[in-house]
């Protein structure tokens, strides 16, 4: 059984205790950086259960698999491992997959739909653009997907996209959007944005489906509420409509994802969206020293649209250093020389040191210096496991086995390894299949009869189809042995021969073959923690989980030894004893795009990004800038960032708009 309530609550400060013991109605917990929000959320769930709420009637949603996993572990520790039921802790996307697996047939999609990751989306985008006779000079697939994602995040369906165009590229994207969505549907596939879009559609068009989901949960918690977009807000509002038992936790001062659809207004306007809401401020910071927090507080007060709050520190520390350098070379040399001193003369673990930067171009010169001094480092956000060719191939095989209509995945692997089915054959078959509204497999006999493809190609297609059908049955009939089935499948198609064909270097062959083993291991791991394993479930986990399960994401990189180099966006949620925040110049931070936009909201988001960078530091913070930088082969003068002046002001402007967001 879980610990007594007195033990749980005793370790909380008054504000944390107030949040953890408010168990009904709308509640906004404004949790500043380092104020212990995860602890509050988990204790609050334990309190709900102690007061009689069934554990599985509690829904707790966050944004990353890492955060969901951490919350589940903490909740399990609090509640005890023997509890037969647990709260449903999930990311938004995983929650939507769960709902759609049960209900999506109402929207005329198959239950065993495939979820397209970025690579699959780009293939589908190319097909859609080609179908409407647009080439890459007119609109790149990546630009098209950016626009489609923006529309989907705002809840705009294909038939309404033309009402929201602002330029020629938008107009072209709107034309292709409808075809892209039709193609996904015919393949039995959805993309990431569809998971939210279709769940919202389901709730609006099918009230019975909404009620079934509402009836599952009597209390809802949302972490990182400042990062919610329009679809997520609509989803939350629909779920809590019957009872309004909604607790949201977040910090408007850390809202840094406006570029991908997050709307800070959701947290700023919470009391207006949910009248009668209680607001609790967590302002006791347990991470940073007083000097670091004073700098952060002074800076962020220059944002007019915010809830008024001031973090206070639980520890004192060294002064924050702000250093000027003549150029980026001397900036990198000095920073890395200091790091060398800390690591090699003061025995500071390199993992305790982080270099933070605004743009992906900045780390190159620091990497060069770190290598010159033979210091180990980790560039967070490098190539993902899922970007590797063989991993994409095997997951495409599994997607086709799960969903035979998945044309994008089928095209990727139909002749990998080579089996006598050339690109021309595939193109002819697909064209015929589209005209006849048939699957590629069903179109083959008539294609042979009409001389579109050779009998030899048709035999290869038939044999390949039979192979996939045989393994489809094996995966379905023996779900607890899926790892063994996959291993047998990889042996039968002789994928290792494909690796040997692609890579002549023996070391590379070993590394790439090791990727196959990791996929089999991941399937085994999935089976071990799933009560009802299925191929669809594994594909959902692997697609939604990013690098979490396979070791290719940020979390895995953080396990490596070395000085950390990462963007400010990547650093959110992390903390380090020693931080170097580099490149505080106009055009870098704030970024040139935000300055050129002329919009106050964009500068405010850049200011929040700087605030996030400052509050990653626990004890030592060094901020640097260069007086000049090389740009397109010419040295140009740089202006110091306006944020440097703002954070050092002894007096800051009043929070002129913050009062409208308070109780």
């Amino acid at each position: 059984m879980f610990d007594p309530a007195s033990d749980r609550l005793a370790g909380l400060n008054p504000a944390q205790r107030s949040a953890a013991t408010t168990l009904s109605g709308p509640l906004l917990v404004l949790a500043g950086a380092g104020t212990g929000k995860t602890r509050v959320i988990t204790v609050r769930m334990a309190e709900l259960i102690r007061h009689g709420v069934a554990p599985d009637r509690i829904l707790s949603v966050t944004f990353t698999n890492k955060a969901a996993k951490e919350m589940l572990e903490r909740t399990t520790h609090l509640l005890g491992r023997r509890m037969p039921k647990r709260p449903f802790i999930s990311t938004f996307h995983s929650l939507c997959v769960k709902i759609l697996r049960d209900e999506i047939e109402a929207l005329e999609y198959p239950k065993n739909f495939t979820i397209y990751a970025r690579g699959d989306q780009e293939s589908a985008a190319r097909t859609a653009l080609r179908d409407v006779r647009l080439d890459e000079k007119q609109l790149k697939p990546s630009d098209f997907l950016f626009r489609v994602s923006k529309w989907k995040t705002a809840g705009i369906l294909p038939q309404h996209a033309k009402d929201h165009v602002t330029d020629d590229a938008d107009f072209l994207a709107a034309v292709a959007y409808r075809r892209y969505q039709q193609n996904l549907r015919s393949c039995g596939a959805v993309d990431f944005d569809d998971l939210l879009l279709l769940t919202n559609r389901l709730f609006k068009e099918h009230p019975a489906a909404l009620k079934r989901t509402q009836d599952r949960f009597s209390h809802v918690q949302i972490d990182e509420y400042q990062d919610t977009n329009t679809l997520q807000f609509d989803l939350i509002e629909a779920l809590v409509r019957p009872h309004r038992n909604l607790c949201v936790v977040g910090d408007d001062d850390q809202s840094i994802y406006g570029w991908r659809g997050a709307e800070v207004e959701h947290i700023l306007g919470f009391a207006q969206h949910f009248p009668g809401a209680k607001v609790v401020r967590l302002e006791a910071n347990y991470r940073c020293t007083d000097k670091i927090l004073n700098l952060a507080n002074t800076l962020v007060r220059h944002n007019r649209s915010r809830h008024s709050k001031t973090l206070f520190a639980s520890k004192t520390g060294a002064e924050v250093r702000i250093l000027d350098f003549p150029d980026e070379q001397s900036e990198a040399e000095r920073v890395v020389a200091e790091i060398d001193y800390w690591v090699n003369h003061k025995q500071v673990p390199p993992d305790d040191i982080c270099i933070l930067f605004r743009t992906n171009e900045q780390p190159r010169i620091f990497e060069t210096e770190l290598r010159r001094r033979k210091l180990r480092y980790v560039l967070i956000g490098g190539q993902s496991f899922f970007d590797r060719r063989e991993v994409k191939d095997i997951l495409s095989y599994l997607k086709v086995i799960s969903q035979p209509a998945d044309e994008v995945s089928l095209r990727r692997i139909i002749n990998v390894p080579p089996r006598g089915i050339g690109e021309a054959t595939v193109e002819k078959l697909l064209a015929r299949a589209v005209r006849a509204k048939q699957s590629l497999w069903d179109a083959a006999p008539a294609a042979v009869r009409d001389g579109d493809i050779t009998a030899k190609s048709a035999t290869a297609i038939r044999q390949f189809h039979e192979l996939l059908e045989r393994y489809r049955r094996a995966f379905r009939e023996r779900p607890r042995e899926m790892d063994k089935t996959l291993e047998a499948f990889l042996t039968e198609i002789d994928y290792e021969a494909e690796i040997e064909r692609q890579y002549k270097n023996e070391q590379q062959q070993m590394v790439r073959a090791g990727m196959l083993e990791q996929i089999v291991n991941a399937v085994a791991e999935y089976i071990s923690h799933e009560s009802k394993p299925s191929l669809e479930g594994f594909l959902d986990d692997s697609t939604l989980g990013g690098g979490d399960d396979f070791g290719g994401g940020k979390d895995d990189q953080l396990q490596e030894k070395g000085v950390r180099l990462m963007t400010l966006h990547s650093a959110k949620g992390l903390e380090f004893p020693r931080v170097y925040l580099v490149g505080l110049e106009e055009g870098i931070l704030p970024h040139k795009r935000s300055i050129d936009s002329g919009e106050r909201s964009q500068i405010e988001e850049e200011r929040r990004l700087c605030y996030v960078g400052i509050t990653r530091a626990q004890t030592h913070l060094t901020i640097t800038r260069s007086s000049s930088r090389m740009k397109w082969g010419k040295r140009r003068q740089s202006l110091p960032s306006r944020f440097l002046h703002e954070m050092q002001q002894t007096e800051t402007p009043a929070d002129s708009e913050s009062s409208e967001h308070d109780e």
Side-chain angles (χ1 to χ4, degrees):
M1 198 62 185
F2 51 83
D3 298 335
S6 57
D7 292 349
R8 286 197 304 272
L9 297 173
L12 302 182
N13 65 39
Q16 290 173 329
R17 194 176 304 121
S18 173
T21 55
T22 301
L23 305 180
S24 61
L27 168 67
L28 168 61
V29 181
L30 289 169
T35 56
K37 68 184 176 72
T38 306
R39 187 177 186 188
V40 169
I41 291 171
T42 50
V43 170
R44 185 174 181 275
M45 283 193 280
E47 283 296 289
L48 284 167
I49 293 164
R50 187 172 75 85
H51 283 79
V53 177
D56 58 348
R57 300 265 290 149
I58 301 168
L59 169 65
S60 193
V61 182
T62 187
F63 276 81
T64 67
N65 292 282
K66 179 190 174 187
K69 186 178 179 183
E70 181 187 350
M71 202 179 294
L72 181 61
E73 286 169 355
R74 290 201 191 193
T75 306
T76 301
H77 176 73
L78 270 183
L79 303 180
R81 295 189 176 276
R82 294 185 181 178
M83 288 201 70
K85 293 181 179 177
R86 302 194 182 286
F88 188 82
I89 300 172
S90 164
T91 63
F92 271 104
H93 288 97
S94 295
L95 170 66
C96 289
V97 169
K98 202 91 171 168
I99 294 166
L100 292 173
R101 286 284 175 216
D102 293 333
E103 307 279 2
I104 199 169
E105 286 174 312
L107 300 175
E108 297 181 359
Y109 279 80
K111 233 174 185 172
N112 62 333
F113 61 86
T114 300
I115 304 168
Y116 277 179
R118 180 68 186 189
D120 304 318
Q121 279 184 270
E122 288 183 354
S123 297
R126 284 191 190 90
T127 301
L129 292 168
R130 190 183 65 227
D131 288 348
V132 296
R133 292 179 168 76
L134 291 174
D135 61 38
E136 293 201 18
K137 290 179 183 174
Q138 294 170 288
L139 187 63
K140 292 178 183 174
S142 57
D143 292 340
F144 167 70
L145 288 174
F146 171 78
R147 287 167 167 79
V148 168
S149 181
K150 183 179 67 175
W151 287 325
K152 287 187 177 183
T153 299
I156 298 167
L157 298 173
Q159 58 269 35
H160 304 304
K162 286 184 182 177
D163 300 331
H164 299 270
V165 301
T166 56
D167 55 32
D168 290 346
D170 270 0
F171 178 78
L172 296 175
V175 172
Y177 179 16
R178 186 186 291 262
R179 178 54 65 94
Y180 171 76
Q181 209 60 14
Q182 287 170 346
N183 289 351
L184 286 190
R185 193 174 193 158
S186 67
C187 290
V190 301
D191 63 22
F192 269 91
D193 293 317
D194 281 332
L195 295 173
L196 293 163
L197 185 71
L198 293 175
T199 305
N200 272 284
R201 246 193 76 199
L202 178 79
F203 285 175
K204 287 174 183 173
E205 296 174 12
H206 300 275
L210 170 60
K211 187 170 189 314
R212 280 191 291 273
T213 310
Q214 288 171 333
D215 289 347
R216 284 187 62 188
F217 305 113
S218 63
H219 290 75
V220 176
Q221 292 188 153
I222 310 294
D223 190 16
E224 303 287 5
Y225 187 66
Q226 76 280 351
D227 294 337
T228 51
N229 61 33
T230 299
L231 289 178
Q232 288 158 342
F233 175 82
D234 290 347
L235 192 68
I236 296 160
E237 191 280 326
L239 283 176
V240 303
R241 211 173 285 152
H243 51 72
R244 298 177 78 246
N245 292 327
L246 172 64
C247 167
V248 303
V249 183
D251 181 9
D252 48 300
D253 289 335
Q254 295 186 76
S255 179
I256 59 173
Y257 294 115
W259 49 276
R260 68 181 189 199
E263 295 185 35
V264 70
E265 178 52 39
H266 294 155
I267 194 167
L268 294 178
F270 185 80
Q272 286 74 49
H273 301 144
F274 300 95
K278 179 177 179 177
V279 180
V280 176
R281 287 172 171 76
L282 305 185
E283 296 174 303
N285 175 285
Y286 299 101
R287 175 192 300 160
C288 311
T289 64
D290 55 345
K291 306 290 194 305
I292 292 168
L293 275 190
N294 288 342
L295 208 69
N297 285 329
T298 305
L299 172 68
V300 82
R301 283 196 199 107
H302 284 79
N303 275 358
R304 287 193 243 163
S305 300
R306 65 184 292 265
H307 287 284
S308 62
K309 54 190 171 301
T310 301
L311 301 189
F312 56 90
S314 58
K315 57 187 178 184
T316 58
E319 292 289 337
V320 175
R321 297 183 307 155
I322 299 177
L323 306 179
D324 294 346
F325 296 98
D327 53 52
E328 68 271 41
Q329 184 65 46
S330 52
E331 179 186 43
E333 286 174 0
R334 170 71 180 274
V335 167
V336 175
E338 280 195 9
I339 292 171
D340 189 8
Y341 171 76
W342 292 123
V343 171
N344 290 319
H345 298 279
K346 292 295 184 180
Q347 282 67 57
V348 172
D351 314 12
D352 284 358
I353 303 170
C354 180
I355 303 173
L356 292 178
F357 41 86
R358 173 64 178 91
T359 69
N360 287 314
E361 294 79 37
Q362 288 173 265
R364 179 193 59 78
I365 196 164
F366 290 93
E367 285 190 79
T368 301
E369 282 301 307
L370 287 161
R371 286 178 179 177
R372 192 172 66 79
R373 289 182 175 265
K374 297 182 171 55
L375 286 165
R376 292 186 67 177
Y377 69 91
V378 184
L379 181 61
I380 307 297
Q383 188 189 36
S384 164
F385 179 87
F386 287 91
D387 290 335
R388 297 177 187 273
R389 176 179 182 156
E390 46 283 321
V391 177
K392 286 182 174 180
D393 285 350
I394 303 313
L395 289 178
S396 290
Y397 267 113
L398 294 178
K399 287 173 182 177
V400 174
I401 289 171
S402 167
Q403 174 50 268
D406 183 353
E407 179 196 314
V408 168
S409 298
L410 178 61
R411 290 183 73 147
R412 181 179 182 91
I413 49 84
I414 195 166
N415 202 41
V416 178
R419 52 177 61 89
I421 309 172
E423 185 64 27
T425 297
V426 175
E427 289 293 339
K428 288 173 184 174
L429 269 180
L430 284 172
R432 178 179 281 274
V434 169
R435 285 197 305 273
K437 295 185 177 178
Q438 292 178 303
S439 71
L440 179 144
W441 316 109
D442 293 336
V448 176
R449 187 186 63 231
D450 295 346
D452 283 352
I453 65 172
T454 66
K456 186 178 177 183
S457 294
T459 300
I461 290 167
R462 178 178 53 76
Q463 289 173 343
F464 183 47
H465 188 221
E466 289 171 354
L467 170 81
L468 296 177
E469 285 296 317
R470 182 155 45 86
Y471 277 94
R472 183 175 298 121
R473 288 192 297 274
F475 277 110
R476 191 167 53 238
E477 291 167 6
R478 297 188 295 279
R480 288 265 161 219
E481 297 176 16
M482 286 196 297
D483 53 335
K484 297 183 182 66
T485 303
L486 176 56
E487 200 171 350
F489 178 74
L490 293 174
T491 301
E492 183 161 347
I493 64 172
D494 196 11
Y495 193 87
E496 286 206 23
E498 173 68 7
I499 290 175
E500 289 167 10
R501 190 173 71 87
Q502 291 289 338
Y503 307 99
K504 302 308 174 191
N505 180 290
E506 216 171 293
Q507 184 64 31
Q508 272 196 321
Q509 289 174 3
M510 285 176 61
V511 170
R512 301 288 173 165
M515 297 297 110
L516 306 185
E517 182 186 358
Q518 283 198 48
I519 299 175
V520 173
N521 290 345
V523 174
E525 173 65 22
Y526 162 76
I527 294 167
S528 71
H529 66 66
E530 192 65 37
S531 58
K532 292 182 179 178
S534 67
L535 182 55
E536 289 75 24
F538 169 73
L539 289 169
D540 289 349
D541 264 23
S542 62
T543 308
L544 295 170
D548 289 334
D549 296 329
F550 296 95
K554 184 172 84 173
D555 300 340
D556 184 69
Q557 291 174 324
L558 288 168
Q559 302 306 312
E560 297 178 31
K561 298 294 180 187
V563 177
R564 276 72 172 100
L565 279 73
M566 65 178 78
T567 65
L568 289 162
H569 284 102
S570 296
K572 187 166 177 288
L574 303 175
E575 57 189 57
F576 305 93
R578 295 175 182 272
V579 167
Y580 290 87
L581 177 53
V582 301
L584 262 285
E585 296 143 44
E586 291 288 293
I588 295 180
L589 184 63
H591 196 280
K592 185 177 185 299
R593 278 196 307 270
S594 299
I595 296 170
D596 291 347
S597 75
E599 294 182 21
R600 192 191 81 203
S601 62
Q602 291 205 26
I603 295 296
E604 291 204 344
E605 179 153 323
E606 291 288 305
R607 191 175 286 113
R608 292 194 292 266
L609 196 55
C610 187
Y611 172 86
V612 165
I614 292 169
T615 54
R616 297 314 92 195
Q618 295 171 309
T619 55
H620 293 78
L621 173 64
T622 301
I623 297 172
T624 70
R625 80 163 189 98
S626 299
S627 298
S628 69
R629 279 187 189 269
M630 194 70 78
K631 294 174 184 174
W632 296 101
K634 292 183 180 178
R635 183 150 299 282
R636 301 183 188 279
Q637 293 301 303
S638 300
L639 292 173
S641 169
R642 68 192 72 186
F643 301 153
L644 286 171
H645 172 66
E646 292 172 359
M647 67 178 71
Q648 295 178 88
Q649 283 184 317
T650 52
E651 292 185 15
T652 54
D655 296 49
S656 57
E657 293 186 20
S658 61
S659 59
E660 69 188 68
H661 304 301
D662 298 339
E663 306 96 315

